Amino acid sequence: MVENVTNKFPLLAIDGGGTKTIAVIVDSSGNIISKAKTEGSNYHVVGEERTFHSLYTVIQETINCLRSDKIDNINKFHCAVFALAGLDTEKDRLLVEGTVMKVIETLKLNIDKVIVENDGYATLLGATKNLPGALLISGTGSISFAHDGNGKIVRAGGWGYQVGDEGSGYWIGKEAIRSVFRMFDGREKQTILAEKILHYLQFTDIEQLYNWVYKENDPVDQVSRLAQVVEKACHEGDPVSKKILDQAVTELYDLLHTVLLRSNIIETPFTLVLQGGVLKNIGYIREQLINRIEVKIPQARIFLSQVDPIDLIIERGLLALSQK
């Protein structure tokens, strides 16, 4: 049994993305003592109602894990960090903060300090603390942040799968599907990519692919997974797949270069954190991007994050507690 030696737990941390939401409770030593996972909570992807349900469910399940250990005061925390994807504009902030407060009130949580911010922003602060640094994320979506160590923080990208997220898993999958349709029309030379995409999705013809793309619920996660199919085709010499991946590298580099210029840290040593499923799992993109950065931005100390984002969000929360 875990012993609760204080009246309040130090930290409740939530990592809310487009496809999954994770919540943890952290003890006074900084250790995770309870953890739960549920579906996504990016309201742009899942809607307001499901965002509320995901946050409510994941926190409730995290608390229930400790309740089974007969720990008291599980609803009391010194700090809670809600690091959520899709929190990009003032409208987003007002809507998401309202949803978070509704969850807190419904669960009757007692929290001294509540932080609600973009998940990338929280991850950047957790990874680099108050030192100059940058974060480039390419997962289902893509975004980049940088800060100068003196309070100035800038971002680029993160405009969502419908109009942005260039270089992300969804973008790669979408570009692959567009190429398949162009091949079917005869506007692009037929390659193995079309066969591989249809085979992966277990479709027998182009109409099934079309109907799947335009079904009522956007298949964001499934489209993102097609990035791995594109990489396999690239390794087999497919020129269309290589072109898509090369363009993804360029898009991600441009995101990073933009925030470095705007934060005025591009000429000084800084820590660069690379994160997300694409940069972790798509070796071609990772290697090409790192090579380009090493040549053009040699002052970057590149750190390919092997930890889960929730671990960096915990660091963000602990940093906030230390600044009380």
Side-chain angles (χ1 to χ4, degrees):
M1 184 194 310
V2 179
E3 182 181 0
N4 182 14
V5 296
T6 63
N7 291 326
K8 293 185 178 182
F9 287 97
L11 181 64
L12 170 67
I14 296 93
D15 174 22
T19 57
K20 65 180 180 298
T21 303
I22 296 172
V24 298
I25 295 174
V26 177
D27 68 12
S28 57
S29 299
N31 301 312
I32 295 176
I33 58 174
S34 184
K35 184 175 183 178
K37 177 181 175 181
T38 190
E39 64 181 7
S41 53
N42 180 340
Y43 88 95
H44 290 295
V45 177
V46 304
E48 296 177 39
E49 184 176 340
R50 286 175 62 190
T51 294
F52 171 85
H53 182 265
S54 292
L55 293 175
Y56 176 92
T57 299
V58 77
I59 295 173
Q60 183 67 71
E61 290 181 0
T62 310
I63 289 174
N64 287 343
C65 289
L66 290 184
R67 185 167 285 133
S68 63
D69 287 336
K70 299 180 181 179
I71 297 177
D72 298 324
N73 301 320
I74 303 173
N75 66 328
K76 298 180 180 181
F77 303 91
H78 286 300
C79 180
V81 178
F82 289 79
L84 307 175
L87 210 167
D88 303 307
T89 67
E90 181 65 13
K91 177 185 176 182
D92 294 338
R93 185 186 66 79
L94 292 173
L95 187 150
V96 173
E97 284 184 353
T99 300
V100 167
M101 294 312 299
K102 182 179 176 182
V103 170
I104 290 173
E105 292 169 3
T106 304
L107 288 170
K108 296 181 172 56
L109 303 180
N110 182 328
I111 306 171
D112 295 336
K113 184 174 185 178
V114 178
I115 299 171
V116 182
E117 57 196 14
N118 182 281
D119 58 337
Y121 175 84
T123 301
L124 171 65
L125 292 181
T128 62
K129 308 299 187 291
N130 288 323
L131 298 174
L135 170 70
L136 178 62
I137 300 175
S138 177
T140 303
S142 64
I143 195 168
S144 188
F145 286 86
H147 74 90
D148 64 358
N150 295 310
K152 180 180 181 180
I153 299 178
V154 298
R155 57 159 278 189
W159 297 113
Y161 69 97
Q162 291 180 317
V163 295
D165 284 347
E166 296 88 349
S168 69
Y170 181 85
W171 182 89
I172 294 168
K174 180 186 68 176
E175 290 300 304
I177 292 171
R178 288 182 61 195
S179 289
V180 171
F181 287 140
R182 290 174 66 87
M183 291 175 193
F184 179 79
D185 288 341
R187 293 183 289 155
E188 196 165 293
K189 183 179 179 181
Q190 189 84 17
T191 74
I192 61 172
L193 180 62
E195 178 184 349
K196 284 187 173 294
I197 292 290
L198 292 176
H199 180 265
Y200 177 82
L201 294 171
Q202 298 182 333
F203 295 154
T204 57
D205 58 55
I206 200 74
E207 287 190 7
Q208 287 181 298
L209 177 62
Y210 175 82
N211 292 332
W212 177 74
V213 169
Y214 287 102
K215 67 182 181 181
E216 184 176 349
N217 297 318
D218 291 314
V220 177
D221 190 32
Q222 296 98 315
V223 171
S224 299
R225 292 185 185 134
L226 295 179
Q228 297 181 19
V229 180
V230 177
E231 185 188 35
K232 290 178 181 178
C234 178
H235 284 317
E236 293 180 26
D238 180 59
V240 174
S241 298
K242 182 179 185 300
K243 181 179 178 181
I244 292 172
L245 296 185
D246 285 339
Q247 184 60 36
V249 171
T250 297
E251 297 288 354
L252 293 174
Y253 179 83
D254 286 347
L255 279 179
L256 173 63
H257 190 255
T258 297
V259 295
L260 295 178
L261 287 176
R262 290 173 53 205
S263 61
N264 297 316
I265 67 172
I266 194 168
E267 299 295 338
T268 59
F270 66 92
T271 298
L272 168 61
V273 180
L274 303 179
Q275 192 173 65
V278 168
L279 294 174
K280 181 178 180 180
N281 300 315
I282 308 298
Y284 182 89
I285 289 180
R286 180 180 63 251
E287 292 163 11
Q288 294 297 318
L289 179 63
I290 289 177
N291 288 341
R292 188 175 300 188
I293 293 170
E294 288 177 340
V295 171
K296 296 188 175 184
I297 316 174
Q299 57 274 23
R301 298 186 296 268
I302 301 174
F303 171 58
L304 181 62
S305 179
Q306 298 296 333
V307 301
D308 292 331
I310 190 65
D311 295 314
L312 296 177
I313 293 166
I314 290 171
E315 291 297 321
R316 163 56 176 134
L318 296 176
L319 177 64
L321 283 172
S322 70
Q323 295 173 336
K324 290 177 60 177

